[in-house]
Amino acid sequence: MKGHNINQVVSYRNLSEMAKTTSSRPRNQLRNGKKTTPAKNASSTVGGWRPVLGCSLKAMALFRITLGCLLTAELILRFRFLRVFYSDEGTMPLRLLLPRIDGLYQKICLHCHFGELWQQQLLLGIQTVVAIMFTLGYQTRLMAILSWYFYTSLILRNTWLYFILDRYFYYLLFYAMFLPLDQYWSLSKHDRKSAYDNLPQGVFVNPATIALKLLVFWIYIDAGVGKYLDPKQGWTYHTDPLPALDTYCRHTLCAQYLYAILGPKGLRFLTPTVVWIEILSTPLALLGSYLGNASMVNFAILFICQLHLGISTTIRNSVLLSFVACSAWCVFLPIGWGENAPTGDAFPSRSFWSKLSSTATITLVCAMVGGNIWFETIGTDCSNGSLRRIWSTLLQNRWNVFIGAEEYVTWEIAPGRLRDGSVVDVWGRSDKVNWMMPGSGAPCTSTSRPGRWRSFPYLADLEGEEAEALWGYLCKQWDRENNVKSNPGRQLLRYNFFMLQADVLPNMAFSSTRKRLVHSYECVNEASAAQYENEVDAKADVTIADDPSKSEL
């Protein structure tokens, strides 16, 4: 009995030691019954090409959350522009769009099948819900695919509105489809249905992480080198008469305070630093990743994000753009670099679906990168019609904005005459016409109408039915907002659309204002308007005598 008990003790002891040995092994050594390469210590895996080409799982989760929040905000703001830019009531109705596009375009663009306002509101509402689910990390890959497709379709519905902010969302959402964004701080992490559930911790590398980092690198090289090569040298210290920052730091109240604090000399000194921050930040972050120096990476991210914060506070309509640009830098963050980082094969036992997913990732990412290169080289000569319209929108990958100093500032007014003889500012939606420069810093095309209204004044070259839909919308909008059915005297008869300009001068000064007539539009036909002319002529003469600006009508 004693011997038997001794054997039992030895057996239990051996089993206990075996259990401890098994539990102390890295998790990826015993996946699906197959042994894999053991992980090294965290300190030995920091640095090298893996952090350069890949992203940590925590960094990608933060990228998902920030990008998703900003996308949701942008979509909510987009509701304001559905009527004017996306419905049949607005400036680009389907009756004008459909004859210009072919079947391929319509298959890609879901929004091109719906013209009613409520239909566009429903589509945008669904897109917003999808963006929220993407942010929360619920079915993350599916939500990323849907977000990218919906956003692409929204872009194609009205390419007039394709700004650099949209280019950011388009490319970042595209690469997000191929990344394991749900490994931290997500709902998908708890349902165990993610394709990356058993992914080893540390740095993840695939074609999408490489392409995404190359994209960020290209964005700042294109922007920085463009400023450096500016023919007028607006971003150099010795530029004449004014450096670029001196001309840009006038748009907002924060910009005016900055101007007062730094003065012209301080802004002249800081101007060339912007160029070098843009050119050197990404190489510095990549070098820090290769050396395993988290401080160097964080230093580069801090400087570039401070630059974008400055842009957001000194230039109108740039807050979302600046924040989205900072969101892209999340993939460089060194958080989680050394957390049980694997060496060797990260997928020791790969299923058929895993291999298929990897093949699709390589194919689509390479197709996008190759398409960007193709479009910038020979693509414009290889397609025509609707196909060219698609390529020129979806494959454009240039980021050289704010290249030179602002030589002048612009703003718009549109004095219009109503049936009751009064004159109003149609563009400013005001009963008073003010020809003076707006007082809150340097004006711009969004002084009276923010956001995507910026595209409106630059469509003055449209002709025919397109011009009729564009300029006629202002009449319909005014009448709708002023309820002319109950108050016919408020009906808009005609208006003139003026662009005003003033040269930028030293010491926060501007030249005298000059104006240019962009377009004149008759909202009501002459026969219908004539019956009211006699009734209001006497009143109009008195009004014009009181306010000379009304003589412009």
Side-chain angles (χ1 to χ4, degrees):
M1 290 293 295
K2 290 182 180 181
H4 180 68
N5 290 337
I6 291 174
N7 289 336
Q8 281 187 323
V9 172
V10 172
S11 177
Y12 292 151
R13 184 177 298 171
N14 290 338
L15 289 173
S16 177
E17 291 175 354
M18 289 175 62
K20 290 180 181 179
T21 303
T22 302
S23 63
S24 65
R25 293 176 181 172
R27 286 184 297 172
N28 63 328
Q29 273 192 298
L30 294 174
R31 187 178 300 133
N32 298 328
K34 296 183 180 181
K35 186 175 181 180
T36 64
T37 306
K40 292 183 178 181
N41 294 330
S43 61
S44 64
T45 61
V46 176
W49 286 107
R50 192 175 189 88
V52 173
L53 303 177
C55 313
S56 76
L57 299 180
K58 287 184 177 179
M60 285 188 284
L62 187 59
F63 169 68
R64 182 200 81 236
I65 294 171
T66 55
L67 179 63
C69 288
L70 294 169
L71 175 62
T72 303
E74 158 60 18
L75 296 177
I76 292 174
L77 293 174
R78 189 79 68 115
F79 275 96
R80 300 177 297 169
F81 307 107
L82 289 183
R83 186 190 298 272
V84 55
F85 292 122
Y86 297 97
S87 75
D88 288 342
E89 303 175 34
T91 57
M92 180 54 74
L94 290 181
R95 62 180 176 82
L96 298 181
L97 175 64
L98 293 180
R100 299 166 50 192
I101 61 177
D102 56 17
L104 174 62
Y105 197 105
Q106 292 185 47
K107 290 178 181 178
I108 297 175
C109 179
L110 176 65
H111 292 73
C112 292
H113 296 274
F114 305 98
E116 297 294 330
L117 177 60
W118 70 267
Q119 294 172 331
Q120 292 293 333
Q121 290 172 334
L122 178 61
L123 283 176
L124 189 57
I126 295 173
Q127 187 176 358
T128 304
V129 172
V130 169
I132 294 173
M133 294 297 100
F134 172 76
T135 307
L136 297 176
Y138 177 76
Q139 296 292 332
T140 312
R141 170 168 280 196
L142 175 61
M143 295 301 110
I145 294 172
L146 291 176
S147 291
W148 178 77
Y149 173 70
F150 273 117
Y151 208 90
T152 301
S153 176
L154 194 63
I155 289 171
L156 293 176
R157 176 60 179 85
N158 194 337
T159 54
W160 293 344
L161 308 178
Y162 188 45
F163 298 143
I164 194 169
L165 172 65
D166 303 299
R167 200 169 304 156
Y168 260 109
F169 278 124
Y170 172 76
Y171 280 107
L172 295 182
L173 287 172
F174 177 81
Y175 292 119
M177 296 189 297
F178 310 105
L179 297 175
L181 304 177
D182 55 1
Q183 293 299 292
Y184 284 93
W185 313 311
S186 72
L187 299 179
S188 293
K189 185 61 179 174
H190 302 289
D191 63 20
R192 311 309 298 169
K193 294 180 181 179
S194 171
Y196 301 101
D197 270 343
N198 296 319
L199 191 68
Q201 304 302 299
V203 178
F204 175 84
V205 181
N206 79 345
T209 62
I210 299 172
L212 183 54
K213 286 196 166 182
L214 284 176
L215 173 67
V216 177
F217 176 80
W218 166 244
I219 287 172
Y220 291 94
I221 290 297
D222 192 32
V225 172
K227 292 180 177 64
Y228 182 80
L229 298 178
D230 174 26
K232 297 184 178 180
Q233 298 182 335
W235 290 93
T236 62
Y237 179 80
H238 298 288
T239 184
D240 184 50
L242 294 175
L245 283 187
D246 194 308
T247 64
Y248 285 116
C249 288
R250 306 181 181 207
H251 287 268
T252 66
L253 185 61
C254 290
Q256 292 178 351
Y257 278 116
L258 181 64
Y259 197 105
I261 294 171
L262 297 179
K265 291 185 178 179
L267 291 172
R268 181 176 290 274
F269 176 78
L270 285 180
T271 294
T273 64
V274 173
V275 179
W276 293 110
I277 288 175
E278 289 187 335
I279 293 176
L280 297 178
S281 289
T282 315
L284 182 63
L286 294 174
L287 177 62
S289 299
Y290 182 80
L291 298 176
N293 190 327
S295 298
M296 185 181 296
V297 178
N298 289 329
F299 179 80
I301 296 174
L302 177 64
F303 259 78
I304 199 68
C305 288
Q306 283 183 334
L307 174 63
H308 285 296
L309 180 62
I311 293 173
S312 70
T313 57
T314 56
I315 299 180
R316 289 194 187 103
N317 299 297
S318 62
V319 175
L320 263 179
L321 173 61
S322 299
F323 289 173
V324 172
C326 292
S327 175
W329 280 87
C330 288
V331 298
F332 286 85
L333 287 171
I335 54 176
W337 266 2
E339 294 184 359
N340 193 26
T343 60
D345 188 8
F347 295 96
S349 179
R350 303 177 65 190
S351 66
F352 168 77
W353 294 110
S354 177
K355 294 178 181 179
L356 182 63
S357 176
S358 298
T359 302
T361 298
I362 295 173
T363 303
L364 294 175
V365 170
C366 291
M368 176 61 80
V369 175
N372 295 147
I373 298 173
W374 168 80
F375 176 75
E376 295 297 337
T377 53
I378 62 174
T380 54
D381 298 326
C382 295
S383 60
N384 51 48
S386 186
L387 190 61
R388 175 181 293 180
R389 188 183 177 97
I390 297 174
W391 298 148
S392 63
T393 303
L394 302 185
L395 294 180
Q396 187 176 3
N397 196 7
R398 298 305 303 271
W399 309 85
N400 47 353
V401 294
F402 306 119
I403 293 303
E406 280 190 329
E407 298 180 359
Y408 54 85
V409 292
T410 64
W411 68 102
E412 289 79 27
I413 65 170
R417 172 167 296 187
L418 306 184
R419 281 195 183 277
D420 62 8
S422 59
V423 176
V424 297
D425 183 4
V426 180
W427 184 248
R429 304 179 190 181
S430 171
D431 288 339
K432 296 181 179 180
V433 179
N434 185 3
W435 294 85
M436 301 299 293
M437 178 184 296
S440 57
C444 59
T445 58
S446 57
T447 299
S448 298
R449 302 203 178 200
R452 297 182 182 273
W453 280 104
R454 288 174 293 166
S455 64
F456 198 97
Y458 297 101
L459 300 172
D461 294 334
L462 293 178
E463 298 178 351
E465 290 185 310
E466 290 184 344
E468 180 69 23
L470 180 75
W471 300 110
Y473 180 80
L474 293 182
C475 301
K476 292 185 291 185
Q477 183 188 46
W478 177 273
D479 291 348
R480 183 181 64 253
E481 293 180 351
N482 287 272
N483 192 19
V484 297
K485 291 183 178 180
S486 301
N487 189 6
R490 296 288 293 174
Q491 183 179 15
L492 182 62
L493 299 181
R494 69 181 69 89
Y495 69 87
N496 291 333
F497 195 96
F498 289 94
M499 177 176 286
L500 288 81
Q501 295 179 341
D503 294 331
V504 177
L505 301 178
N507 299 316
M508 207 62 157
F510 297 94
S511 69
S512 58
T513 301
R514 57 185 180 272
K515 63 184 178 182
R516 177 172 65 90
L517 178 63
V518 176
H519 192 80
S520 295
Y521 188 79
E522 296 284 340
C523 301
V524 180
N525 61 63
E526 295 182 4
S528 175
Q531 60 183 339
Y532 291 92
E533 291 295 333
N534 294 331
E535 300 176 9
V536 300
D537 274 346
K539 181 178 178 180
D541 290 340
V542 175
T543 305
I544 290 173
D546 294 336
D547 186 355
S549 70
K550 294 178 174 57
S551 63
E552 299 297 335
L553 294 169

